[in-house]
Amino acid sequence: MRLLLIEDDYMLGNSIRKGFYPYGFIVDWTQDGIAAEAALAAESYSAVLLDLGLPRKSGLEVLKKMRSDSNSTPVIVLSASDRVLNRIEGLDAGADDYLSKPFDLDELAARVRALLRRSGGRTSPVLTHGEIQFDPAGNTVTYKGKGVALSSRELMVLAALIEKPGAVLSRAQLVDKVYGWNDEVESNTIEVHVHALRKKLAPGVIRNIRGLGYMLADSESPCVN
């Protein structure tokens, strides 16, 4: 899934951006409050990781602006302050979670997964569609009870589709969920990933709705139109 990181500390921001890729997260990174608001206005994100001590505009102001604009994207505040009053202020301003620095990347990733699970109305940590099971925590997929080895991008495409069963996602929507700002995207890249998923899972597992996009099939029909 695609996240927005708003953090002015270069070493920490770079560590999160690079360290989150193996978890299946694409991270867009801004380093001040004004740039963050521009990113939020231009893109749609699964969650926001927000530092409070930002230049140009504070993280708290960014958070309040998000909520006043009816932007309900889940937010985890990352702060160097562990004072109770700061945590209360952040949560009351609309944050969904609060994590004090320094923190462990594994814990932050687990909190993001839990937040996405709650915001999606799910109770189970494992996403299931028919014979497909996807475990975001381990980035593992099974089909008919057997493990299937997928690349990071293939996992991201499958995760985007399985999170919205019955919905058709356009090529542009899938690109937004799978690639970040600095990634090069070939014109047929989504088609390549879909072809690989069909080959590794089943030919009819993903349907191509002509002119609209892709969706997970309700059954294992051999049809891939």
Side-chain angles (χ1 to χ4, degrees):
M1 296 293 100
R2 193 172 177 186
L3 311 177
L4 178 62
L5 170 64
I6 310 169
E7 170 60 64
D8 66 325
D9 184 297
Y10 180 82
M11 290 185 63
L12 178 58
N14 200 41
S15 295
I16 294 174
R17 184 178 62 83
K18 291 182 176 179
F20 260 37
Y21 184 78
Y23 295 112
F25 295 120
I26 295 297
V27 178
D28 290 342
W29 175 25
T30 62
Q31 295 175 271
D32 67 72
I34 299 297
E37 289 187 340
L40 287 164
E43 306 285 352
S44 177
Y45 293 97
S46 297
V48 174
L49 308 178
L50 175 65
D51 178 36
L52 294 183
L54 297 171
R56 302 182 71 192
K57 193 168 190 177
S58 75
L60 198 61
E61 289 178 290
V62 172
L63 178 57
K64 290 179 178 178
K65 178 70 162 51
M66 283 181 65
R67 298 315 189 215
S68 69
D69 290 343
S70 299
N71 186 334
S72 60
T73 304
V75 174
I76 298 179
V77 167
L78 310 176
S79 177
S81 173
D82 61 356
R83 294 177 61 234
V84 173
L85 287 177
N86 292 118
R87 294 200 298 271
I88 292 172
E89 187 177 28
L91 293 168
D92 281 346
D96 300 273
D97 198 358
Y98 192 108
L99 189 59
S100 298
K101 302 174 184 177
F103 49 79
D104 185 272
L105 275 185
D106 288 337
E107 180 183 359
L108 178 57
R111 285 175 180 262
V112 171
R113 289 192 296 269
L115 193 57
L116 295 177
R117 190 165 63 245
R118 292 196 301 272
S119 66
R122 295 186 289 110
T123 55
S124 172
V126 177
L127 292 160
T128 301
H129 183 87
E131 298 285 352
I132 305 170
Q133 287 194 323
F134 170 55
D135 179 5
N139 262 343
T140 57
V141 171
T142 61
Y143 181 67
K144 294 186 175 180
K146 296 181 179 180
V148 181
L150 300 178
S151 72
S152 295
R153 301 290 188 190
E154 291 162 5
L155 276 168
M156 292 177 193
V157 171
L158 181 61
L161 292 170
I162 204 171
E163 281 200 332
K164 294 186 177 296
V168 178
L169 297 184
S170 68
R171 179 187 178 278
Q173 288 175 310
L174 289 171
V175 167
D176 283 345
K177 290 180 177 294
V178 174
Y179 291 91
W181 289 338
N182 298 319
D183 294 325
E184 293 185 8
V185 184
E186 299 292 336
S187 60
N188 67 334
T189 187
I190 296 300
E191 289 78 5
V192 169
H193 296 322
V194 168
H195 175 77
L197 287 168
R198 286 170 172 164
K199 186 175 180 180
K200 293 178 180 181
L201 297 172
V205 72
I206 298 175
R207 293 185 61 199
N208 178 7
I209 310 301
R210 196 174 302 277
L212 296 177
Y214 297 95
M215 66 180 293
L216 287 181
D218 291 331
S219 63
E220 297 174 20
S221 165
C223 176
V224 296
N225 62 317

